[in-house]
Amino acid sequence: MIAIPAVDLRAGRCVQLVGGDYEAEQIRLDDPVAVARDWVREGFTRLHVVDLDAATGRGGNADLIREILATAGVPVQVGGGVREESRIERLLEEGAEWVVVGTRAVEDDDWRREMAHRFPGRLIVAADVRERLVVTKGWAETSRRNVVDFVEELSQLPLAGVLVTAVHLEGRLQGTDLPLMEDVAEACAWPVFASGGVSSLDDMRALEHRGLAGAVLGMALYTGAIDSRRLAEEFGA
């Protein structure tokens, strides 16, 4: 079980949103590269970088991502608006250890299958979930896919893992959706990473007990709700 700090990028800044709502930005830091470096200094050995602008069609932060990849010194998984093979290739060439694919991987079965076989062990499929249904396009659209059924399908592909975000709990510091995460972990053949609502070391231990491979943390770290050094000591590697 590994704790993975999130570095969410919006308009050149590191931000944290509540509930995936762009109007509910709670954290804004001016230097995302320094933020990434600080998490590594705290003892974390993996980072999760998301381009929120690319995910929602508002632009992109490609230069910042490139700089983070060049200076982080630890494996980094990168996502947000990755919908073309060329972008996967570029991120891997620039140093991403894994690429996180969401919207197109959910909506386009043929593309998902082709990319998984073209980049075996390098893709993490993101299943963002609200009320057990997968949402896409930066959490703006709800599909008819039940997340458990979806991850069972993913088990047939050579993935690096699956990232499940409980969107309804994102940024709220109310604890994670343990029944959801447990069901997904049981249904999936690949490592499952949880995101959304993780707000204590007890949450982390509960996820570990239910078979999760790791958790991506944002608000809890940026607000100090979890002591970052204690988290890194117990779940940093």
Side-chain angles (χ1 to χ4, degrees):
M1 178 74 176
I2 185 170
I4 310 170
V7 181
D8 294 349
L9 305 175
R10 179 186 186 187
R13 306 292 188 268
C14 176
V15 304
Q16 285 290 295
L17 309 180
V18 177
D21 183 355
Y22 264 64
E23 303 306 315
E25 180 183 289
Q26 186 167 326
I27 302 291
R28 172 173 280 253
L29 301 172
D30 288 338
D31 190 345
V33 178
V35 170
R37 196 162 47 239
D38 287 344
W39 290 134
V40 174
R41 191 178 297 117
E42 288 284 292
F44 295 99
T45 58
R46 181 166 172 169
L47 297 175
H48 177 78
V49 176
V50 179
D51 190 333
L52 294 174
D53 294 319
T56 56
R58 290 175 166 89
N61 296 273
D63 291 344
L64 264 179
I65 291 171
R66 193 176 303 112
E67 190 173 355
I68 291 171
L69 290 173
T71 60
V74 298
V76 180
Q77 57 196 53
V78 181
V82 181
R83 294 164 192 156
E84 302 295 336
E85 179 182 354
S86 59
R87 178 142 170 77
I88 297 173
E89 289 179 337
R90 185 164 63 252
L91 287 170
L92 293 174
E93 289 171 357
E94 290 172 353
E97 189 68 25
W98 306 277
V99 176
V100 182
V101 290
T103 294
R104 188 168 181 188
V106 173
E107 297 177 342
D108 188 336
D109 294 349
D110 291 339
W111 185 81
R112 178 178 70 244
R113 189 179 305 109
E114 181 181 354
M115 292 304 101
H117 286 287
R118 188 155 297 181
F119 305 100
R122 305 300 296 275
L123 299 185
I124 297 171
V125 172
D128 298 340
V129 180
R130 186 182 285 117
E131 303 302 329
R132 300 233 166 185
L133 295 178
V134 179
V135 297
T136 59
K137 295 182 173 65
W139 305 342
E141 295 186 11
T142 302
S143 74
R144 295 183 179 180
R145 283 184 181 266
N146 179 281
V147 66
V148 174
D149 295 337
F150 182 53
V151 299
E152 286 178 344
E153 295 176 25
L154 297 180
S155 295
Q156 309 303 314
L157 302 176
L159 301 174
V162 177
L163 172 66
V164 178
T165 298
V167 174
H168 49 294
L169 295 174
E170 183 76 8
R172 301 188 188 279
L173 298 178
Q174 297 174 350
T176 191
D177 189 333
L178 289 175
L180 166 68
M181 298 304 174
E182 182 174 20
D183 289 349
V184 171
E186 288 180 355
C188 190
W190 306 116
V192 176
F193 302 91
S195 178
V198 181
S199 55
S200 69
L201 289 172
D202 285 342
D203 285 343
M204 293 291 294
R205 295 167 186 141
L207 288 168
E208 183 177 36
H209 180 68
R210 286 161 175 80
L212 278 292
V216 174
L217 295 96
M219 195 71 77
L221 284 174
Y222 287 95
T223 62
I226 294 182
D227 183 289
S228 59
R229 289 191 181 276
R230 287 186 60 195
L231 180 66
E233 286 172 2
E234 187 169 349
F235 296 104

